[in-house]
Amino acid sequence: MRKNIVAGNWKMNTTVSEGVELAKEVNAALKAAKANCDVVICVPFTHLCPVAAAIDATVLGLGAENCADHKSGAYTGEVSAAMVASTGANYVILGHSERRQYYGETSETLREKVALALENNLKPIFCIGEVLEERENGTFNEVVRCQVEEGLFNLSAEDFGKIVLAYEPVWAIGTGKTATAEQAEDMHAFIRGVIAEKYGKEIADNTSILYGGSCKPSNAAELFAKPNVDGGLIGGAALKCADFMGIVSAF
Ligand code: PEP
């Protein structure tokens, strides 16, 4: 059966020393109180090596927030999936709405990134979600269906089975505005149905679908209680150990 996962997305926050301290704190908290879900932190590229050295990979997973859409070569400033994997990381967030919006990531580039991540044994946490206008004009299901189909449905069933999805309504990211547990559940059930149409019920049932968007200790339990919500991708609240652990302990 699918795993429950709580993954932090630190975005462009913390210096290396601050990040190592935070990772150590989370690691220690997880050792003190065993989590009932998998826990992952996704950190800036600069932090991957020192954080990998500071944590125990058996209690805390590590991921990057992005990777390049090329294997290697003359792409100044880019970081490849192989480089990410060589740090000891085992996850990578792909298709975050901030990358789609500010860096022009398209389904086409994301297909390349997903393929390279999988080739390097990184588990993609693939983000999808509608903007406010699409929520309000009622097109949100079709927008999300398109993102899933265009970004992922070129994969074999075996490779699709390695993907973690994160539904992140863009209007709820960093805004303090959370989707209601019912809105999240409806969308997650819809996404699972879309996956089942293509890959069958078993693969759909085995796919972890996380919710992201202003998730915090006070709303995590209600969200995670929904049958199709398999955890969270956490931005702001992942930057304080107590808040992050408050969300982890919602399972
Ligand atoms: C995110 O950016 O992935 C996210 C969910 O952010 P926040 O929790 O801050 O809304």
Side-chain angles (χ1 to χ4, degrees):
M1 258 323 257
R2 59 186 180 259
K3 284 183 173 177
N4 290 325
I5 303 169
V6 172
N9 171 16
W10 288 6
K11 311 195 186 192
M12 198 173 71
N13 291 297
T14 75
T15 61
V16 171
S17 59
E18 289 164 351
V20 168
E21 275 320 297
L22 176 57
K24 280 185 181 165
E25 240 188 296
V26 172
N27 192 73
L30 289 168
K31 288 218 155 180
K34 204 185 157 312
N36 293 318
C37 60
D38 284 5
V39 184
V40 180
I41 48 174
C42 297
V43 306
F45 292 133
T46 44
H47 298 33
L48 286 169
C49 278
V51 167
I55 62 174
D56 176 351
T58 64
V59 298
L60 180 57
L62 178 63
E65 301 172 13
N66 182 30
C67 71
D69 57 342
H70 295 279
K71 217 176 199 138
S72 65
Y75 300 101
T76 302
E78 288 294 287
V79 175
S80 72
M83 292 172 186
V84 170
S86 72
T87 67
N90 32 29
Y91 288 84
V92 61
I93 296 174
L94 292 176
H96 192 280
S97 61
E98 289 153 15
R99 303 257 0 137
R100 293 179 190 258
Q101 190 181 342
Y102 307 140
Y103 300 96
E105 288 198 353
T106 62
S107 296
E108 197 182 349
T109 41
L110 288 169
R111 284 196 296 273
E112 298 301 327
K113 291 184 182 206
V114 168
L116 289 163
L118 292 174
E119 251 175 52
N120 286 281
N121 296 317
L122 293 172
K123 221 175 182 11
I125 301 176
F126 190 86
C127 303
I128 50 189
E130 80 283 0
V131 299
L132 185 59
E133 192 191 342
E134 294 157 345
R135 171 59 56 175
E136 288 177 346
N137 69 19
T139 57
F140 50 93
N141 279 347
E142 285 323 300
V143 167
V144 170
R145 172 196 285 275
C146 237
Q147 291 171 338
V148 174
E149 289 182 348
E150 289 181 6
L152 298 170
F153 279 9
N154 61 320
L155 295 175
S156 67
E158 191 190 345
D159 278 347
F160 187 87
K162 298 170 189 161
I163 303 288
V164 172
L165 280 169
Y167 168 58
E168 299 205 304
V170 180
W171 46 272
I173 296 180
T175 58
K177 212 173 175 182
T178 320
T180 64
E182 288 69 31
Q183 284 172 323
E185 170 60 16
D186 286 352
M187 178 57 89
H188 285 221
F190 172 75
I191 295 166
R192 209 176 294 290
V194 169
I195 299 167
E197 281 167 23
K198 167 81 178 171
Y199 294 106
K201 189 175 179 322
E202 193 181 339
I203 288 183
D205 283 346
N206 284 333
T207 303
S208 298
I209 309 177
L210 316 185
Y211 167 79
S214 299
C215 186
K216 38 191 184 269
S218 58
N219 58 25
E222 194 189 350
L223 286 158
F224 298 172
K226 293 294 179 191
N228 284 289
V229 178
D230 309 313
L233 181 57
I234 317 299
L239 294 170
K240 280 208 180 108
C241 180
D243 288 349
F244 190 57
M245 289 306 296
I247 294 170
V248 169
S249 60
F251 274 119

